[in-house]
Amino acid sequence: MTGRYIQKILVCCAVLLLACCVPAAAGIPGDTDGDTVVSEKELATAILDHLTAGRLSADELSLAAHNSLHLPYGQLVVAVAGDRYLIPATSYIDQKGVPADSLIYEGLVTKLRPKEGGPKEYLGWLAERWESSDDAMTWTFYLVRNAAWHDGTPFTSADVRFTYEYFRDHGNPDAPGAGAYLVNSAIFKNVASVECPDDYTVVFHMKSCAPLFPETLATGPGIAVFPAHIWRDIDLPSTYIDTAHIGTGPFAYGSTIPGTLSKVTAYEGYHGEKPYVREVVTKNYEDEDAQILALRRGDVDFISGEFGLSPRKAEALKDAPGIGICRIPSGGQAFEVAFTSDVYPATIPEFRRALSHAVNRERVCWLVGEGARPTETVFLLPALAGDQVNPATNGLFSYDIAEAKRQLARAGFNLTEENGRPVLLGPDGKPVEITIPLAGKASTNAVDQKIVAVLKEDWEGKLGIRIVETPQVDDSVYLDWIAKTAVHFDGMPGRWHEDIDRLDNFQRSPLGENYYHFDNETFNGLITELKSTADPDKREEIGFELQEILAEEVPCIPVFSQDAFMAYRSDRFVGWDAALLGGGGNIRLFSEIRPASAEVGLRA
Amino acid sequence: MTAMSDALLEVRGLKVGFPTPEGLVRASDTVDLEIYPRETLGLIGETGSGKTVLGMAILRLLQPNTIIEGEIRYRGRDLLSLPEAEMQRVRGREIGIVLQNSGTSLNPVYTVGTQIAEAVILHQGLSGPDARQRAVELLDAVGIPDPVRMAGEYPHRFSGGMRERALIATALACRPNLLIADEPTKGLDAVTKRGIVDLFSEIDRDHSVLFITHDIETAGDLATRVAVMYAGEIVEIGGAEEVLGDPAHPYTRGLLASLPERGMQPIPGSAPSLITLPSGCRFSPRCGCAVENCSREHPGLVEVGSGHYARCMLYD
Amino acid sequence: MNGIYLLKRLITSFAAFCIAVTIMFALLRLMPGDYITMYLEAIYRYAPPDVVEAFNHVYGLDRPILEQYVIYLLDAFRGNWGYSFIYKVPVLTVIGERLVWTLILLLPATILATLAGIGIGAYSGWRRGSKTDIALLNSMIIIRAIPSYWLALMILIIFAYYLNLFPLGGYVDTGALTTGIDPLDVANHAVLPVLTLFLFSVTGTYYLMRSSMLMTAGEDYITTARAKGLDELMILRKHALKNAMLPMVTLITFECAGMITGSIFVETIFSWPGLGMLTYKALAVRDLPLLQGILLIDTLFVIAANIAADLIYPLVDPRVQVGDDA
Ligand SMILES: Nc1ncnc2c1ncn2[C@@H]1O[C@H](COP(=O)(O)OP(=O)(O)OP(=O)(O)O)[C@@H](O)[C@H]1O
Ligand code: SF4
Ligand SMILES: [Mg+2]
């Protein structure tokens, strides 16, 4: 009796399990070889299947045909965290340029994630190719010829020039309603003039050598080109409410319901490769847990939290039926122990160097858990910076307490003992005491606490450096705090570690103090030189040299970076990994994924 | 005492107890009394002796968890066993009551007229305007000047004496046979008090009145008969002249002796707790005439004159 | 007399408004951090000083503080509340749009909670000590003890996710993008947030009403009413309820004023674009014009509620005259 009962339950469980697994394993109907493209032959087979065996339903056959003909199909619902990620009622243009990943607008170029150890790569959007003069004083962009605005107006070089001029004119602080334009006009600050020799060529004349102009156009909020024929007549952009959102991107603006939903539709006349999905709906979920529930229930197809899902939550989703996880190496925050180089004892380079051997990265990563990877370089993250990382500087900040002690002794520090506990006396004979302020962001706090715990073990327990307090300080006063404390932690977006140009973080520029109050003449000089160097080999050489100085001077000790996680309905769409790893949220992301379930077709 | 069929109200062996965390408060213990048509029975006694409780018990106005035993016969019907709905028909219509605290006994958010009319509408089925008219007449009858205007005023505009009158008007609104008035003269100045007493001497021509008071003089003026309560018991009852002129019970004598015009000699000691009562005669710890037996045996009511009873060993 | 009183009341309210506005102005400027610096730092890690300067110049933030204050006051009264830094539209437009959504949740929730709180509170207090009273009291204590964020999340998980009865957030289904907003669909989305808000606020009303009723039930005039021969229901309805309601007037008017501040928890969990969320976001990025606008509106509502309470009180309690310092 009981035996049969248990058997029954087991069978039920097995059936349930199978039922759960089926959608997870499903691919695009008709795609028999699993390359996510339905070839002509596969389509023919599918049609026959449908006609004879009835294995494919009419809807599934329709999906296969759309895929085979590369026609947009179905609706993809993406959860966003916050209404500012929806298409707002007013245009983004006045503030940050159109966000590079908005699907509707495009810039001239975008940047791709390099392969690990590989070179930096750009991808043309509205520019097919580009070149600079040897002195990097002029940049010429050759535009795509078949692009048209979503309202049918052809896209020409005049639009590019207009974008520049619009920002220039509205970036003047005394112009009416100008304030919001300043950020963007700053991006174009170095441009002296723009010239259009023909409809498909744009020449930027720079005020000074600009070897990195494409980089400037592609990073940060970036600059998207916007339509001259619409914006020409708008004098007061900050009071203009754009309801049409005419761009050139793969998707055209559909509709918005303020604060909660917006929709874009595949643009028939797109100049590049057309998307496979017909509609992308963005739905706002302010709370990450609500996003996760929505994905589990199938209300949405893709979630990413605000800055990627937390590893713990991604882990919990891993085995959910019909859900896939993608992981973007170093896509989250990067953490470092930073010194304020003009506050004792961080003023002593040997002290900083010694401590670079006293950070137990493995242990921190173990504590932080899933998704944390130790940083072995002096600053740049290999997953983002590719071949710009100087291999000779890798592994120089290895964990070695004995070495740390030796270096401290050499610098005149004296390790003694008091009541059985180690106490480090400084060169001045007084015990070394430090305060470590923690930034007030809740998301990074937990991580900070873990780093503190590990540091205390080594710094207090073995090196005798007393960590007096670790106050939580609000973001708005964080800078004031770190200016008066020798050591702090910092978590920052990984993209600040992606390029040698980002090493200007450590330059003491004419504009003033840097984050680390670090001031090394050679370093400052090299950065200035780098900014005006166009030759790639020379740039690499300078970049390597800069990293050597960092290895020697240790203004900061990188600890680890976090991978970012996103989750999607693997039973409905395929092709996520390629898209994500290629660009990490660029305009192509939703162009490359393909519907795999007829269900998404019925939604649209 | 035999049951007298012509009594309007007969209280027989009434026991009222309030359960409290400290114990049962025996606020009435085996109370017997009767009220005849058109007579005024004065009920006197020190504070806390159980007068109010007795008055409220008659109309079953005590809180729901009160333990009540005995019989309260109104025109032969036992009020204690009436269903609530029928009891509601007795209240206000057969028996009216003027509560002790006139200051707080009127609802502050309704006009006085409305509150009087309410009872009239309920019991006599008068329409709104008629009821209001009646309310004005009643206010006039109890001696409120400018009754038309005052009927439209809220209680907080009434003085103490006027509130008392308004409450009397409310209680009399449906011409009840019995009016219970609980210390209607308390806290009033001499002139106002006189007015109220005069009002009652008019009222008791048509109604039976149970007039509860501290004030022995007033009781003497108004009452045909007087009952004296001590610690939940009736200790003496009889014609007003007999009881007040020739008191039999040492407690009554003590009360009279404590009047200002009779030398103002207070009774020594204080009233006993109603939870732990003294054994034997309840007055024995304070009684000047106590004999040995007093604290051992509990005296019953003994007839000391015609219709005049006292609860004392001295008359056994 | 009423006219003079009203005038006086308006003048004092105006003074209160000015004081509140001044304090607000000072507090907002004492907050560490500013919009443009934080914005730039989030993108570039550094705020180029020239951009910050230019921004401050455009928004007049570089002028002497006294001048800023005068301009701000004048603008506040002229109804020129400026443009939100984040949303780039007039502050009043943003607030107006959010206010509608906030009210869609809070109006029914507050009305229901007030009615229910008064109803069951009155019953509970009238029947003090009865089984129903004790059951009600205990459940209210339990609801009250649950942290609000957790309660909201649990309601979402249970009713939306596990029981699959309601949507998981937002105020319309994706279908609305093509068909437009359907009031029924909005109602369906509003059920859970309204339920949550209802539970948040019903307990307070219940407690106050219950204790108010306890006091009233012991009043002598209730005994008088009983002595007149009224039945219990009539006494409760006519005599007890009206008196027990008196202390509720203030509570209700202030709850109404409080409505417009929205509820950050509910709006976050249910992704409802209301004023609570807006305030939080404006505060986080130091969107000064928007913050000033929101606080101005809040102040206006509270002052209006105050006047309303003063005007309503005499209507329900004849002992209080318009103009009395109640
Ligand atoms: N609800 C109650 N619970 C407990 N004890 C009560 C209650 N009501 C009255 N008592 C007690 O019963 C006793 C008699 O009270 P009662 O009010 O009848 O006195 P009284 O003779 O009317 O006094 P007073 O002259 O002060 O009005 C008092 O000791 C009082 O404390
Ligand atoms: S019985 Fe005794 S104690 Fe009681 S009153 Fe009479 S004489 Fe006094
Ligand atoms: Mg009394």
Side-chain angles (χ1 to χ4, degrees):
Chain A
M1 181 65 202
T2 351
R4 265 182 55 195
Y5 190 60
I6 290 174
Q7 249 181 10
K8 248 192 196 163
I9 292 180
L10 280 179
V11 169
C12 286
C13 288
V15 168
L16 268 178
L17 239 148
L18 266 177
C20 293
C21 290
V22 168
I28 297 172
D31 172 29
T32 42
D33 59 2
D35 63 354
T36 74
V37 174
V38 179
S39 67
E40 268 171 46
K41 194 169 154 238
E42 280 170 332
L43 182 61
T45 319
I47 294 171
L48 290 177
D49 255 6
H50 171 68
L51 290 177
T52 56
R55 254 186 291 164
L56 289 186
S57 70
D59 290 329
E60 284 168 326
L61 187 65
S62 157
L63 193 165
H66 277 88
N67 181 295
S68 181
L69 300 173
H70 198 152
L71 289 175
Y73 177 87
Q75 183 187 65
L76 171 78
V77 185
V78 177
V80 294
D83 58 350
R84 63 182 173 284
Y85 299 104
L86 296 166
I87 295 158
T90 180
S91 172
Y92 280 106
I93 289 171
D94 60 347
Q95 185 172 346
K96 17 188 245 174
V98 179
D101 52 358
S102 82
L103 304 176
I104 297 175
Y105 298 89
E106 295 174 299
L108 291 174
V109 293
T110 185
K111 198 174 167 186
L112 293 180
R113 287 169 76 89
K115 310 238 163 21
E116 186 141 353
K120 186 147 103 171
E121 278 185 80
Y122 295 99
L123 181 71
W125 274 353
L126 286 168
E128 229 162 33
R129 59 201 169 79
W130 52 94
E131 62 192 27
S132 75
S133 60
D134 287 344
D135 59 358
M137 288 295 286
T138 41
W139 279 89
T140 308
F141 291 83
Y142 302 96
L143 308 180
V144 293
R145 288 176 177 261
N146 55 343
W149 296 100
H150 294 152
D151 61 2
T153 315
F155 160 78
T156 66
S157 54
D159 292 308
V160 180
R161 189 178 51 197
F162 174 78
T163 303
Y164 159 70
E165 285 168 355
Y166 200 81
F167 280 118
R168 182 196 59 196
D169 298 344
H170 289 87
N172 171 6
D174 292 318
Y181 284 78
L182 298 159
V183 179
N184 269 328
S185 51
I187 294 174
F188 278 132
K189 213 163 40 187
N190 200 20
V191 178
S193 64
V194 175
E195 200 189 321
C196 302
D198 64 56
D199 272 359
Y200 300 104
T201 312
V202 185
V203 183
F204 287 82
H205 295 285
M206 312 303 292
K207 290 180 185 153
S208 63
C209 165
L212 283 171
F213 189 53
E215 173 89 16
T216 311
L217 290 179
T219 48
I223 291 266
V225 179
F226 59 98
H229 63 285
I230 289 175
W231 284 83
R232 188 178 298 131
D233 305 325
I234 296 158
D235 284 338
L236 258 180
S238 49
T239 60
Y240 171 67
I241 295 176
D242 188 0
T243 49
H245 305 282
I246 303 293
T248 56
F251 292 94
Y253 175 68
S255 52
T256 296
I257 297 190
T260 183
L261 286 166
S262 58
K263 181 170 83 172
V264 291
T265 314
Y267 174 43
E268 295 285 329
Y270 185 52
H271 60 89
E273 196 173 329
K274 256 177 274 171
Y276 283 88
V277 288
R278 191 161 83 215
E279 287 179 4
V280 178
V281 167
T282 42
K283 182 159 187 177
N284 180 25
Y285 289 92
E286 298 280 354
D287 182 66
E288 197 180 75
D289 290 314
Q291 274 197 6
I292 291 175
L293 293 176
L295 181 77
R296 279 177 179 272
R297 197 167 89 170
D299 292 4
V300 300
D301 304 312
F302 177 74
I303 62 172
S304 59
E306 193 171 0
F307 307 107
L309 291 177
S310 72
R312 196 171 43 78
K313 289 180 176 166
E315 176 76 6
L317 274 172
K318 213 167 57 185
D319 301 318
I323 289 175
I325 301 282
C326 27
R327 177 186 192 128
I328 300 163
S330 300
Q333 300 260 89
F335 291 85
E336 65 187 33
V337 172
F339 295 107
T340 306
S341 300
D342 57 4
V343 176
Y344 173 84
T347 39
I348 306 167
E350 289 85 353
F351 177 79
R352 307 199 296 260
R353 222 169 290 145
L355 289 189
S356 73
H357 298 293
V359 178
N360 192 345
R361 288 179 190 73
E362 294 298 332
R363 193 160 158 67
V364 173
C365 288
W366 178 79
L367 273 178
V368 173
E370 185 81 9
R373 55 178 72 214
T375 312
E376 307 289 354
T377 66
V378 292
F379 191 69
L380 299 178
L381 293 170
L384 302 167
D387 65 356
Q388 301 180 74
V389 175
N390 181 350
T393 57
N394 280 3
L396 287 183
F397 298 159
S398 59
Y399 177 61
D400 183 350
I401 292 291
E403 177 61 23
K405 284 182 182 166
R406 262 194 303 279
Q407 298 218 16
L408 283 173
R410 227 177 295 148
F413 287 85
N414 187 5
L415 184 58
T416 59
E417 222 172 80
E418 201 173 281
N419 306 328
R421 290 170 60 203
V423 171
L424 186 72
L425 301 179
D428 58 358
K430 291 197 199 114
V432 177
E433 294 185 340
I434 53 172
T435 294
I436 305 183
L438 308 181
K441 268 197 217 90
S443 52
T444 55
N445 276 347
V447 171
D448 284 349
Q449 300 296 351
K450 285 169 184 159
I451 304 182
V452 172
V454 174
L455 288 192
K456 277 200 168 169
E457 273 170 38
D458 291 320
W459 294 15
E460 284 199 340
K462 295 173 187 161
L463 298 180
I465 299 168
R466 210 162 91 73
I467 298 175
V468 193
E469 52 169 347
T470 53
Q472 285 288 343
V473 300
D474 186 73
D475 280 353
S476 52
V477 290
Y478 189 58
L479 282 180
D480 303 337
W481 267 89
I482 64 176
K484 56 184 194 210
T485 50
V487 180
H488 61 273
F489 299 139
D490 210 6
M492 61 192 101
R495 65 184 151 82
W496 284 335
H497 297 252
E498 65 181 7
D499 201 288
I500 46 173
D501 277 276
R502 294 286 166 160
L503 296 179
D504 65 3
N505 260 342
F506 299 100
Q507 183 197 24
R508 194 190 152 86
S509 69
L511 285 178
E513 207 79 77
N514 57 52
Y515 221 63
Y516 306 88
H517 296 210
F518 180 68
D519 189 6
N520 179 298
E521 233 168 280
T522 329
F523 193 95
N524 297 344
L526 280 173
I527 291 282
T528 315
E529 193 185 338
L530 180 72
K531 290 201 166 160
S532 56
T533 304
D535 173 36
D537 294 336
K538 182 76 185 128
R539 288 179 58 81
E540 181 182 297
E541 197 181 300
I542 297 172
F544 279 20
E545 223 173 302
L546 286 168
Q547 293 173 60
E548 273 154 28
I549 296 174
L550 292 183
E552 183 62 23
E553 292 292 324
V554 202
C556 77
I557 314 165
V559 183
F560 70 97
S561 66
Q562 259 179 327
D563 294 349
F565 295 87
M566 306 184 179
Y568 56 90
R569 294 300 304 202
S570 56
D571 53 351
R572 294 183 183 154
F573 293 93
V574 295
W576 295 95
D577 295 299
L580 282 171
L581 293 177
N586 79 28
I587 197 162
R588 312 256 176 228
L589 167 61
F590 297 126
S591 316
E592 283 179 23
I593 61 150
R594 290 144 207 224
S597 150
E599 181 199 339
V600 304
L602 301 175
R603 289 198 288 213
Chain B
M1 267 190 321
T2 48
M4 289 178 220
S5 49
D6 54 347
L8 184 67
L9 183 86
E10 278 179 65
V11 176
R12 291 279 163 261
L14 182 72
K15 293 184 178 184
V16 177
F18 300 106
T20 65
E22 290 78 38
L24 190 71
V25 176
R26 269 174 272 177
S28 283
D29 201 347
T30 333
V31 169
D32 293 286
L33 58 79
E34 49 284 307
I35 298 170
Y36 299 98
R38 270 182 258 284
E39 79 157 347
T40 295
L41 175 65
L43 183 61
I44 59 176
E46 277 174 310
T47 183
S49 54
K51 307 183 294 290
T52 298
V53 168
L54 177 59
M56 304 261 280
I58 294 171
L59 277 175
R60 290 185 19 201
L61 291 174
L62 295 167
Q63 62 196 63
N65 66 342
T66 313
I67 298 164
I68 306 181
E69 283 169 34
E71 277 178 25
I72 299 171
R73 298 201 159 272
Y74 173 78
R75 291 194 156 160
R77 282 191 300 169
D78 183 11
L79 296 184
L80 289 183
S81 53
L82 277 190
E84 180 60 28
E86 278 190 46
M87 191 62 211
Q88 279 162 12
R89 252 171 275 140
V90 173
R91 291 191 194 121
R93 172 194 233 162
E94 307 282 350
I95 306 176
I97 186 167
V98 176
L99 295 177
Q100 182 164 0
N101 303 309
S102 61
T104 53
S105 295
L106 284 164
N107 192 333
V109 302
Y110 292 108
T111 60
V112 171
T114 309
Q115 294 185 59
I116 298 173
E118 193 179 26
V120 182
I121 293 170
L122 181 74
H123 292 297
Q124 303 186 328
L126 259 60
S127 68
D130 290 350
R132 285 201 72 84
Q133 185 51 44
R134 174 96 178 99
V136 172
E137 285 164 28
L138 281 160
L139 284 176
D140 191 32
V142 295
I144 290 201
D146 195 358
V148 179
R149 186 173 65 82
M150 291 314 271
E153 288 286 2
Y154 289 93
H156 68 279
R157 314 273 276 165
F158 279 56
S159 68
M162 298 220 302
R163 277 183 222 185
E164 200 62 66
R165 285 174 196 266
L167 278 168
I168 293 166
T170 314
L172 292 177
C174 304
R175 298 194 183 86
N177 293 315
L178 173 61
L179 176 69
I180 302 172
D182 197 349
E183 304 199 21
T185 55
K186 192 177 177 185
L188 299 179
D189 62 76
V191 181
T192 320
K193 189 162 144 185
R194 194 67 250 158
I196 298 285
V197 172
D198 291 346
L199 176 60
F200 270 95
S201 42
E202 277 169 46
I203 291 167
D204 59 15
R205 276 178 228 139
D206 309 316
H207 305 266
S208 299
V209 178
L210 174 60
F211 194 90
I212 300 173
T213 182
H214 271 243
D215 187 347
I216 296 166
E217 257 181 282
T218 313
D221 290 350
L222 288 173
T224 31
R225 288 194 308 132
V226 167
V228 183
M229 271 191 101
Y230 182 77
E233 285 181 321
I234 302 269
V235 291
E236 183 164 3
I237 185 166
E241 253 122 77
E242 287 82 16
V243 175
L244 299 178
D246 180 20
H249 198 280
Y251 174 65
T252 316
R253 281 187 232 142
L255 277 182
L256 288 167
S258 68
L259 288 176
E261 61 274 24
R262 307 229 188 139
M264 219 155 89
Q265 277 184 324
I267 306 171
S270 57
S273 149
L274 295 180
I275 297 170
T276 47
L277 288 161
S279 59
C281 171
R282 291 187 182 165
F283 188 56
S284 58
R286 300 169 75 186
C287 182
C289 324
V291 292
E292 205 184 318
N293 225 6
C294 290
S295 57
R296 242 181 282 133
E297 256 177 74
H298 184 241
L301 275 177
V302 180
E303 186 154 19
V304 292
S306 127
H308 183 181
Y309 300 83
R311 195 183 288 279
C312 179
M313 291 292 173
L314 299 176
Y315 306 99
D316 247 357
Chain C
M1 182 214 93
N2 269 3
I4 291 171
Y5 166 70
L6 210 64
L7 197 71
K8 254 165 68 187
R9 194 74 181 80
L10 283 177
I11 291 170
T12 47
S13 298
F14 181 76
F17 180 74
C18 289
I19 293 169
V21 160
T22 308
I23 293 174
M24 221 156 66
F25 178 85
L27 282 183
L28 286 180
R29 257 138 264 254
L30 284 176
M31 271 195 313
D34 64 280
Y35 173 77
I36 189 67
T37 311
M38 287 167 78
Y39 173 78
L40 290 168
E41 272 170 8
I43 300 175
Y44 302 105
R45 197 166 186 202
Y46 293 99
D50 50 338
V51 178
V52 174
E53 230 167 77
F55 183 91
N56 287 341
H57 177 71
V58 167
Y59 286 96
L61 298 171
D62 57 349
R63 304 204 193 158
I65 195 86
L66 226 65
E67 190 184 331
Q68 284 189 47
Y69 174 66
V70 173
I71 293 175
Y72 162 65
L73 270 190
L74 288 179
D75 279 352
F77 288 115
R78 261 182 277 165
N80 175 15
W81 293 12
Y83 282 74
S84 154
F85 290 160
I86 334 173
Y87 293 94
K88 304 287 150 204
V89 285
V91 161
L92 275 173
T93 312
V94 189
I95 296 177
E97 214 172 76
R98 300 307 188 96
L99 187 59
V100 170
W101 292 110
T102 291
L103 289 182
I104 286 179
L105 290 192
L106 278 161
L107 220 53
T110 310
I111 292 173
L112 287 178
T114 306
L115 291 180
I118 286 174
I120 56 180
Y123 184 82
S124 215
W126 189 246
R127 286 291 157 84
R128 161 194 208 161
S130 69
K131 280 211 185 77
T132 336
D133 172 39
I134 288 167
L136 280 171
L137 187 62
N138 283 330
S139 29
M140 290 297 166
I141 289 171
I142 291 169
I143 293 173
R144 189 75 176 198
I146 301 174
S148 17
Y149 186 84
W150 196 79
L151 179 68
L153 195 59
M154 281 306 120
I155 285 179
L156 181 78
I157 289 180
I158 294 169
F159 292 98
Y161 183 65
Y162 282 112
L163 300 180
N164 212 346
L165 295 173
F166 296 100
L168 279 164
Y171 59 89
V172 280
D173 266 342
T174 43
L177 281 164
T178 15
T179 57
I181 297 176
D182 171 13
L184 270 181
D185 187 27
V186 174
N188 188 34
H189 281 76
V191 171
L192 290 186
V194 167
L195 172 70
T196 314
L197 286 168
F198 170 80
L199 289 178
F200 283 171
S201 77
V202 74
T203 51
T205 319
Y206 169 84
Y207 282 141
L208 191 63
M209 188 64 200
R210 183 177 179 272
S211 51
S212 174
M213 185 50 97
L214 282 184
M215 304 244 288
T216 309
E219 293 284 356
D220 289 324
Y221 54 76
I222 296 296
T223 315
T224 307
R226 208 169 272 140
K228 280 186 218 167
L230 298 179
D231 63 45
E232 289 297 294
L233 201 66
M234 230 150 97
I235 299 170
L236 173 63
R237 253 191 22 228
K238 228 183 128 183
H239 289 268
L241 211 52
K242 197 165 172 198
N243 279 286
M245 282 290 292
L246 296 181
M248 307 300 293
V249 172
T250 322
L251 179 84
I252 293 168
T253 41
F254 279 88
E255 218 150 76
C256 288
M259 276 201 298
I260 70 138
T261 55
S263 162
I264 175 93
F265 292 130
V266 170
E267 285 167 21
T268 307
I269 299 273
F270 296 97
S271 309
W272 194 274
L275 270 178
M277 207 58 224
L278 187 74
T279 313
Y280 174 75
K281 283 183 178 164
L283 199 62
V285 303
R286 309 287 196 259
D287 187 339
L288 271 191
L290 188 52
L291 279 175
Q292 282 169 352
I294 294 170
L295 294 177
L296 274 177
I297 295 260
D298 284 355
T299 315
L300 282 177
F301 264 68
V302 171
I303 287 175
N306 244 315
I307 298 180
D310 276 10
L311 294 180
I312 292 171
Y313 223 96
L315 299 183
V316 291
D317 189 345
R319 283 167 296 185
V320 180
Q321 293 280 306
V322 180
D324 276 2
D325 287 323

